[in-house]
């Protein structure tokens, strides 16, 4: 039952990723932890593969349509690739099971990761719901490149710690810093997400064995079908209303994860 429920959610994750260019991946870890019953550290590794594989499939579709700005993708991706790989290779698997403890309270690694993930989901939801609140400025070239560099590092840290693609950070940065139209930002973000996630997953492959490919590959395959479906549906759905609605759904999921862990 858990397996079939996980596969159902895999399709929904893919549709969300295809529709929004980011945001769907934020649901992957909660689905793996709560529906597939996978422990959090392994779930973040599996999430990187799933998100990377499905994002790559979506990026190839958009690339064929000429909507991907490869120059912007690599400018954004370069500072994040090293960050995510270092975190997955040297940090995440070397964290102690108990991060902090006293006579009243014990902070475990799995509990910390899931609560941190709930915070990330809440931030993602806020940015999706309040997209119009972002003020468009005209930064200088130096300021723009610095912000892109820092945004890339931030996405790398996020991807490394919680296995999310970081699309909710990438898309606004491409729109407001790099001046890409929304539809090109969504397409370009999938390239960045794919590179970050798959490079991050190689760090996991070097750190532990026993990856359950018989579960992981079908899950990624179903999610990829969802991406293609999401890309097709994209032409019929109002993007602004979609992001707001999906933002509220992610906020609800953040509350579920937070209170579930508490």
């Amino acid at each position: 039952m858990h397996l079939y429920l996980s596969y159902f959610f895999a399709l929904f994750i893919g549709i969300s990723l295809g529709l929004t260019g980011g945001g769907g991946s934020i649901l992957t870890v909660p689905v793996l932890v709560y529906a597939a019953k996978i422990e959090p550290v392994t779930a973040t590794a599996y999430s990187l593969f799933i998100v990377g594989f499905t994002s790559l499939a979506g990026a190839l579709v958009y690339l064929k349509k000429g909507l991907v700005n490869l120059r912007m993708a690599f400018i954004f991706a370069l500072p994040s690739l090293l960050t995510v790989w270092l975190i997955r290779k040297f940090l995440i698997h070397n964290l102690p099971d108990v991060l902090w403890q006293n006579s009243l309270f014990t902070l475990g690694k799995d509990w910390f990761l899931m609560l941190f993930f709930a915070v990330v989901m809440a931030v993602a939801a806020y940015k999706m719901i309040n997209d119009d609140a972002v003020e468009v400025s005209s930064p200088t070239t130096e300021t723009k490149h610095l912000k892109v560099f820092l945004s890339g590092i931030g996405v790398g840290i996020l991807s490394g710690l919680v296995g999310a693609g970081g699309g909710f950070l990438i898309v606004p940065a491409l729109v407001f810093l790099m001046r890409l139209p929304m539809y090109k930002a969504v397409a370009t973000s999938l390239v960045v997400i794919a590179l970050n996630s798959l490079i991050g997953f190689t760090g996991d492959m070097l750190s532990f064995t026993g990856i359950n490919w018989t579960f992981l590959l079908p899950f990624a395959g179903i999610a990829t079908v969802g991406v293609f479906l999401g890309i097709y549906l994209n032409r019929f759905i109002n993007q602004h209303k979609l992001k707001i609605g999906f933002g509220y759904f992610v906020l609800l999921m953040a509350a579920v994860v937070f209170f579930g862990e508490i």
Side-chain angles (χ1 to χ4, degrees):
M1 183 62 183
H2 292 310
L3 185 64
Y4 294 118
L5 185 62
S6 301
Y7 288 157
F8 169 77
F9 282 122
L11 184 65
F12 179 73
I13 288 167
I15 291 172
S16 302
L17 194 60
L19 282 172
T20 65
S25 61
I26 204 86
L27 302 176
T28 309
V29 169
V31 166
L32 294 175
V33 171
Y34 297 117
K37 304 300 182 184
I38 296 172
E39 60 94 13
V41 172
T42 303
T44 61
Y46 284 12
S47 176
L48 286 173
F49 177 81
I50 294 162
V51 171
F53 188 87
T54 53
S55 297
L56 180 61
L60 292 175
V61 173
Y62 281 124
L63 188 63
K64 188 177 180 180
K65 294 180 178 181
L67 298 179
V68 176
N69 189 317
L70 286 175
R71 178 175 172 273
M72 296 297 186
F74 285 109
I75 287 174
F76 198 99
L78 285 175
S80 64
L81 290 178
L82 181 60
T83 308
V84 66
W85 190 85
L86 289 174
I87 287 177
R88 296 308 302 187
K89 177 67 177 72
F90 296 108
L91 176 63
I92 200 74
H93 298 288
N94 293 316
L95 288 174
D97 290 335
V98 177
L99 299 177
W100 186 76
Q101 186 176 30
N102 63 18
S103 58
L104 299 175
F105 178 73
T106 298
L107 178 62
K109 175 172 65 174
D110 290 347
W111 193 72
F112 166 76
L113 286 175
M114 293 309 296
L115 286 183
F116 180 70
F117 200 93
V119 172
V120 170
M121 292 177 76
V123 173
Y126 175 81
K127 294 182 78 68
M128 288 182 215
I129 294 168
N130 295 280
D131 255 357
D132 289 343
V134 180
E135 184 180 344
V136 179
S137 58
S138 299
T140 64
T141 300
E142 293 78 9
T143 302
K144 181 171 26 176
H145 287 168
L146 177 60
K147 287 183 176 180
V148 169
F149 181 81
L150 294 176
S151 297
I153 292 176
V155 169
I157 293 172
L158 176 70
S159 299
L161 285 176
V162 301
F168 70 94
L169 294 175
I170 298 169
V171 172
L174 291 173
V175 170
F176 298 115
L177 294 179
M178 311 306 282
R179 294 291 192 269
L180 288 186
M182 182 66 186
Y183 64 95
K184 286 192 175 182
V186 168
T188 304
S189 75
L190 288 177
V191 175
V192 181
I193 292 169
L195 290 172
N196 278 344
S197 301
L198 292 176
I199 292 296
F201 183 69
T202 63
D204 286 295
M205 292 183 68
L206 295 173
S207 299
F208 72 93
T209 57
I211 296 172
N212 186 356
W213 292 107
T214 58
F215 167 78
L216 193 54
L217 290 177
F219 193 105
I222 293 170
T224 301
V225 172
V227 166
F228 293 141
L229 183 57
I231 291 173
Y232 172 76
L233 293 174
N234 206 3
R235 69 186 75 175
F236 306 112
I237 298 177
N238 182 289
Q239 288 294 298
H240 177 69
K241 292 181 179 178
L242 171 69
K243 274 196 173 289
I244 291 176
F246 190 71
Y248 281 112
F249 177 74
V250 171
L251 187 62
L252 175 64
M253 288 293 296
V256 169
V257 171
F258 180 78
F259 288 108
E261 294 299 317
I262 291 295

